[in-house]
Amino acid sequence: MDGFSWRWAARRAAWALVWLLVLLALAWVGLRAAGWLPVSPQSEGPPPAPTTVSTPTTAGAPPAEAPPEVPLPAAPESAPDPQPEPVPSDSGPSDPVPLNPGPPVPAQPTTDPTPDPALALLNRLRAGAGVGAVRAEPDWQAGCAAHARYLVRADRAEHREDPASPFRSAAGEACAPGHYFVSSQPGSDLRRALSYWVGGAFHLPQLLDPRLTRVASGEAHDAGGAFRSAAVLDVRRGLGAAAGEAYPVRYPGPEAGLELAAFPAEASAAEWPDPLVHCGLSGAGAPIALLMGPGVTVRGAALKVNGRPVPACLLRADTFRGASEGDTRAGRGVLAAQGAGVLLPHAPLRAGDRAQVSFGTSAGRVAWSFRVR
């Protein structure tokens, strides 16, 4: 053992251990930065951005499904395979429901010298369904713009604002329960969002709500995030009491019909809740909606195109089934809030088609026809 020093060996071993720990720490930091190690839910970034994300509010629905009180489900729950809703040719009492007499309600004139084109399009939609115009509420506009900025800067898609986010604001939170639309496309705007909502089976009834008198909107863009564009529309704070003659509301209306130059021919993809899960379809035509008012139940419906019966999926408050229990409650809440039934034709209608619609409801039968222009 001549020439061997235990003290020297211990010192060398200690330095080797120190360098090993340093190398392990540097490797851990590098792997975490590269995304190879999991992070805690509090610090996890947003998932990869879909092209568009949009969810409806549940105005007038049961409190359990009215955002922001109940957050959106974090992940889909399992549900049994859905079956398409049967669409009987006749259902409910045979007595027809009296419809609103006279032409559709014209949009009210605006004093704004540069009217918002998206607001004009919304009022065009409502007028075609015989519903009164809405006006922009100036006091809410800044808050809706703030919520749109929050969505793109925080890369979030939600009906609330995270209190811990530096982009959160009280004014933005007030607008958060309304409709929102986020996109990875930098050029998306409020007009594109509105077209998307019109094609959404659960957004459309809220756009046509006759109790709605005031709205506010905002949009924002951020080239550096996953979500590069966001648009929001407040359809909650402007709700009032509808006159008794406001219902039923029919879309497309018998006078205006379906204008393919202004409104979509197909149901929106990625609608939330997803109606195609209930229907067992991968795509469908644009929604055909009947709003009877609170307390009325839709029981069945039938659709003919150019005199021939065509398959269509009926969404109604008592039978809709979504991808999860939360989706089911949200969808049923939106439909029940206005006694709504929504038909999704299995194939989009085409220009020149003449459609005949018949709904059976607890208040009687409602039937009308419209042209596709």
Side-chain angles (χ1 to χ4, degrees):
M1 301 299 292
D2 292 343
F4 180 81
S5 172
W6 286 103
R7 182 176 299 176
W8 176 84
R11 186 180 301 115
R12 291 292 299 272
W15 277 110
L17 179 61
V18 168
W19 281 110
L20 177 62
L21 292 175
V22 169
L23 290 175
L24 287 175
L26 290 174
W28 183 85
V29 171
L31 288 174
R32 183 176 180 119
W36 290 94
L37 292 178
V39 296
S40 64
Q42 289 77 13
S43 60
E44 185 175 2
T51 301
T52 57
V53 177
S54 181
T55 68
T57 71
T58 52
E65 285 303 319
E69 289 83 355
V70 176
L72 302 183
E77 303 171 20
S78 61
D81 293 335
Q83 297 297 325
E85 175 69 21
V87 183
S89 60
D90 193 10
S91 179
S94 59
D95 295 335
V97 175
L99 302 176
N100 294 335
V105 179
Q108 298 297 319
T110 175
T111 58
D112 187 348
T114 57
D116 181 356
L119 180 62
L121 187 62
L122 173 58
N123 280 330
R124 180 176 175 181
L125 171 79
R126 290 171 63 89
V131 183
V134 295
R135 63 178 177 86
E137 178 53 64
D139 292 342
W140 302 341
Q141 294 289 111
C144 290
H147 185 55
R149 287 194 299 272
Y150 167 84
L151 295 176
V152 293
R153 292 179 179 175
D155 274 332
R156 304 289 286 269
E158 56 190 358
H159 285 296
R160 59 183 291 274
E161 294 192 359
D162 185 353
S165 172
F167 308 114
R168 189 260 180 197
S169 67
E173 184 76 55
C175 185
H179 290 348
Y180 73 77
F181 175 93
V182 291
S183 173
S184 59
Q185 302 301 314
S188 292
D189 57 12
L190 191 59
R191 283 180 62 90
R192 182 183 176 193
L194 183 61
S195 177
Y196 194 90
W197 293 326
V198 172
F202 297 104
H203 285 86
L204 176 65
Q206 298 175 78
L207 298 176
L208 297 175
D209 194 330
R211 301 168 296 181
L212 187 64
T213 60
R214 296 178 296 165
V215 298
S217 61
E219 63 179 71
H221 305 272
D222 182 0
F227 294 142
R228 297 186 176 185
S229 301
V232 298
L233 180 69
D234 188 340
V235 293
R236 294 291 294 271
R237 288 179 286 182
L239 287 171
E245 64 274 11
Y247 293 103
V249 174
R250 299 160 291 167
Y251 176 82
E255 300 291 335
L258 177 58
E259 300 180 73
L260 296 182
F263 304 112
E266 299 183 7
S268 296
E271 169 74 330
W272 186 90
D274 187 354
L276 300 180
V277 170
H278 170 84
C279 299
L281 300 173
S282 59
I288 300 169
L290 172 69
L291 315 181
M292 292 297 296
V296 181
T297 302
V298 172
R299 295 175 172 171
L303 174 64
K304 291 183 178 181
V305 177
N306 302 323
R308 295 185 176 183
V310 298
C313 176
L314 175 62
L315 309 176
R316 49 189 252 196
D318 59 339
T319 59
F320 171 73
R321 289 194 303 173
S324 68
E325 291 183 7
D327 288 11
T328 297
R329 288 194 301 268
R332 292 186 178 189
V334 170
L335 297 171
Q338 294 191 78
V342 177
L343 267 181
L344 295 179
H346 286 198
L349 303 182
R350 299 172 297 180
D353 284 344
R354 181 175 182 83
Q356 297 171 289
V357 192
S358 177
F359 282 86
T361 80
S362 59
R365 185 175 61 89
V366 179
W368 77 96
S369 62
F370 63 89
R371 286 198 175 276
V372 183
R373 310 180 196 282

